[in-house]
Amino acid sequence: MSVDSTTMPVMPTLQHFTLDDLAAYTAEQAFGPTASPDFRVFYVGRDDVHGVLLHLFTRATLSVKMNMFGYDDDDLNKVLMGLVQNPSVMVQVTLDRSQAAGATEKAILGSDSAQDQKGFANDFVVGESATDQISHTKGGVLDGIVAFEGSTNWSSSGEGTGISLNAARQAPGFKAQNNTLAVYVNTYEIAKFAARLDYEHATAAAKSLRGAAAAAAPHATAAAAPGS
């Protein structure tokens, strides 16, 4: 049976992504003639960084590898959980243990686990660095095509969510931290970053397993004690 491709909806993907696609999220609505072909930097409080991240994640169709220190963005989490539930997409998320204990992030992760316990357990890990320090990386690689990294946490003020690029003055209550987000397509740097994200994820997962085993050991010993 033949398929009429002219009647099929076009799904946005990253397969033909270029950095120029992100010009609409800048204050200038354009990039200058000397802009790098490999990377662009976006500034929270000046550019629509939340929009940049949504643009990228809503077009991921193959894989997501990421590590995020602060994870408090409901919009991006909803998109990510949609990818978790898509069997054709590989998702690998590493989060920081200290931040995950905060009220907002704890609630988001609890909701994710309740929504899809198996998918959450398979794809998310909460942990620390190899030397028991915070996991402070804030970036990821999408579909092996584009990467993002910078000082931007996933939160309203961290991303400057709700910014108006055309307004001379932002709406009352608008908050934006001083943060940057670099987006790049250099294949060497993407491969190197992806490998590092794999390492950070595996390290956090191994440490979490050892911690769980250590916590369970006293209970197992007590249960096996004579007369118990």
Side-chain angles (χ1 to χ4, degrees):
M1 181 180 72
S2 62
V3 177
D4 183 2
S5 60
T6 61
T7 63
M8 296 178 63
V10 177
M11 182 178 69
T13 74
L14 294 172
Q15 296 306 305
H16 301 288
F17 173 78
T18 70
L19 292 170
D20 286 339
D21 295 343
L22 303 177
Y25 302 102
T26 66
E28 297 81 10
Q29 305 284 288
F31 294 114
T34 59
S36 169
D38 287 333
F39 76 98
R40 307 289 162 84
V41 180
F42 302 86
Y43 301 90
V44 172
R46 188 175 194 280
D47 301 317
D48 184 3
V49 170
H50 181 69
V52 169
L53 290 168
L54 280 175
H55 181 104
L56 297 175
F57 273 85
T58 55
R59 286 162 175 76
T61 58
L62 179 63
S63 63
V64 174
K65 294 183 179 183
M66 61 172 283
N67 191 342
M68 187 52 55
F69 181 64
Y71 187 83
D72 293 345
D73 188 315
D74 286 316
D75 293 338
L76 287 168
N77 177 69
K78 182 177 180 180
V79 174
L80 195 55
M81 282 304 296
L83 296 174
V84 167
Q85 295 177 310
N86 185 338
S88 66
V89 181
M90 191 287 295
V91 177
Q92 174 183 292
V93 181
T94 312
L95 301 174
D96 175 71
R97 183 177 302 279
S98 66
Q99 293 295 300
T104 303
E105 186 165 331
K106 187 176 182 179
I108 290 174
L109 299 181
S111 176
D112 290 346
S113 180
Q115 177 184 348
D116 186 348
Q117 185 176 12
K118 182 178 179 181
F120 181 80
N122 286 340
D123 297 346
F124 282 71
V125 65
V126 177
E128 300 170 318
S129 76
T131 57
D132 303 322
Q133 304 302 299
I134 61 174
S135 184
H136 204 243
T137 302
K138 304 170 187 177
V141 174
L142 306 180
D143 288 1
I145 292 172
V146 58
F148 66 96
E149 203 274 336
S151 63
T152 300
N153 284 306
W154 280 16
S155 69
S156 293
S157 61
E159 302 166 47
T161 303
I163 189 172
S164 173
L165 296 178
N166 300 317
R169 181 175 297 179
Q170 298 301 318
F174 172 75
K175 295 181 180 180
Q177 301 172 6
N178 290 334
N179 283 324
T180 57
L181 180 76
V183 179
Y184 55 94
V185 293
N186 181 277
T187 54
Y188 171 80
E189 295 296 342
I190 287 174
K192 192 173 181 180
F193 191 26
R196 184 65 187 181
L197 290 169
D198 288 343
Y199 169 81
E200 292 176 355
H201 190 82
T203 298
K207 290 171 69 66
S208 293
L209 287 174
R210 287 197 297 269
H219 300 288
T221 302
S228 61

